[in-house]
Amino acid sequence: MPEWFYDYCWTPINEPKIIIFTWEHFALLALVLLIGYGILYYVFQYKSKIWNKKLLFVLAAFMIGLEVFRILWLTLMYHDYDFISFLKNVRFDWCNQICIAMPIIVLLKKEKLYEYISPLAIIGGVGVMIYPVYVFYDYGGMHLLAVQSMISHGLMILIGFLMPLSSEYTPNIKKIYKPSITLLIMAVIALIMSHVLNVNYMLMLSADAFPFLAAIPNPWYFLIVIPIVACVLAATIFCMEKLIKKIKPSFSDILVMNKEDAEAYTIKQETKKE
């Protein structure tokens, strides 16, 4: 392979680098936004729940494929064949847990679980798009895993947004306890695995990556983190609720229904309006 590719995109670097707000960051962000725009363009062209279900299935399969690629790449590149090293490659951060759980939920067609994970996926995806501190921490520049990570986080946002547009699920601020339950489970898993593997998942060991929290000892910075996360979660669900209720009524499958089903659907919609 070309020397520049081997040095810049393939070889694991020896010293960690935090490369945020650089051309690499903005280039990958632009790539993700461009892909997302292209997909959403067709979503709003078709406005079909049936088409969205199929799209969601494809995106979920691609997401789990990216996670498998990441785990295998790390395992083979570093020869991490023992169980503990393999677990470290799996990772148990906020986004890694979602990137494993979310596609499984979609592929198994567990639509009742969408509201438990959709807002959390959007929060994690948007957060990393803005401040991808760990994306570029271990791999400098346009490394394969940096590209994989940014695309995975973009998929988190896209899938989280498409979940209510492909099912009966509609975000509801009154049901904030459901994603809160998921977040609590994720935090417990992160806490356990942080101590088992001695790796800092979900700030369970330290907050060194965030300057305004780094000076506060563990666990006292959670007195700041928890209220912030709660407010962000509430704001995300509230905004999703307003947006989805506005655009979801225009999404139907009347164009792909047979004549009798289409007429029945029209009557049902008119009855709801009355």
Side-chain angles (χ1 to χ4, degrees):
M1 62 182 70
E3 185 176 350
W4 66 267
F5 180 85
Y6 186 82
D7 292 338
Y8 200 62
C9 306
W10 183 259
T11 307
I13 63 175
N14 295 321
E15 296 182 6
K17 298 178 181 178
I18 299 179
I19 308 177
I20 57 175
F21 309 128
T22 61
W23 75 265
E24 292 97 337
H25 174 188
F26 293 123
L28 288 180
L29 178 60
L31 172 65
V32 172
L33 292 176
L34 183 62
I35 294 172
Y37 173 81
I39 294 174
L40 289 178
Y41 175 82
Y42 284 100
V43 167
F44 284 94
Q45 282 288 309
Y46 285 98
K47 293 185 177 179
S48 164
K49 287 184 180 179
I50 292 176
W51 192 84
N52 286 348
K53 285 180 186 291
K54 295 178 180 179
L55 174 62
L56 206 59
F57 191 89
V58 172
L59 294 178
F62 188 58
M63 174 182 273
I64 199 71
L66 288 175
E67 282 301 292
V68 171
F69 166 78
R70 178 184 63 79
I71 294 168
L72 289 178
W73 194 95
L74 290 171
T75 300
L76 296 174
M77 180 61 69
Y78 292 103
H79 307 289
D80 292 335
Y81 303 126
D82 61 282
F83 185 64
I84 295 298
S85 296
F86 176 78
L87 283 180
K88 288 183 179 180
N89 292 338
V90 173
R91 297 191 62 82
F92 297 92
D93 279 312
W94 178 310
C95 295
N96 293 105
Q97 291 192 54
I98 288 177
C99 283
I100 293 174
M102 174 178 269
I104 292 174
I105 289 172
V106 173
L107 296 175
L108 294 180
K109 301 180 180 179
K110 301 297 183 180
E111 294 185 3
K112 291 184 178 180
L113 298 179
Y114 285 3
E115 58 188 326
Y116 285 86
I117 200 167
S118 173
L120 299 177
I122 291 175
I123 292 171
V126 171
V128 170
M129 291 291 108
I130 298 172
Y131 192 71
V133 59
Y134 292 117
V135 170
F136 297 104
Y137 187 74
D138 296 321
Y139 307 98
M142 303 297 284
H143 193 279
L144 285 176
L145 292 195
V147 176
Q148 174 272 329
S149 182
M150 289 293 277
I151 293 177
S152 290
H153 286 91
L155 285 174
M156 287 170 59
I157 302 171
L158 194 56
I159 293 175
F161 176 70
L162 288 176
M163 279 179 161
L165 297 180
S166 62
S167 66
E168 297 301 317
Y169 155 56
T170 298
N172 188 339
I173 190 64
K174 294 180 180 180
K175 297 182 179 180
I176 190 174
Y177 66 90
K178 292 187 176 182
S180 297
I181 291 172
T182 303
L183 183 56
L184 179 60
I185 294 172
M186 289 167 50
V188 170
I189 292 173
L191 177 63
I192 294 171
M193 299 312 296
S194 291
H195 288 282
V196 169
L197 303 176
N198 194 30
V199 178
N200 187 27
Y201 298 126
M202 292 180 65
L203 308 183
M204 290 302 169
L205 300 182
S206 72
D208 292 343
F210 299 90
F212 60 99
L213 296 175
I216 305 174
N218 183 1
W220 301 111
Y221 51 76
F222 280 107
L223 295 176
I224 298 175
V225 172
I226 292 175
I228 291 175
V229 172
C231 290
V232 171
L233 178 58
T236 300
I237 297 174
F238 178 79
C239 293
M240 287 179 66
E241 181 178 1
K242 296 298 181 183
L243 179 61
I244 296 301
K245 284 184 176 180
K246 183 176 180 179
I247 65 176
K248 191 171 183 176
S250 64
F251 281 74
S252 71
D253 297 303
I254 193 167
L255 296 179
V256 296
M257 294 176 179
N258 58 47
K259 184 177 180 180
E260 293 181 357
D261 290 340
E263 291 177 351
Y265 177 84
T266 303
I267 294 173
K268 183 179 179 181
Q269 295 301 110
E270 291 177 351
T271 302
K272 283 184 178 180
K273 290 180 181 179
E274 295 176 357

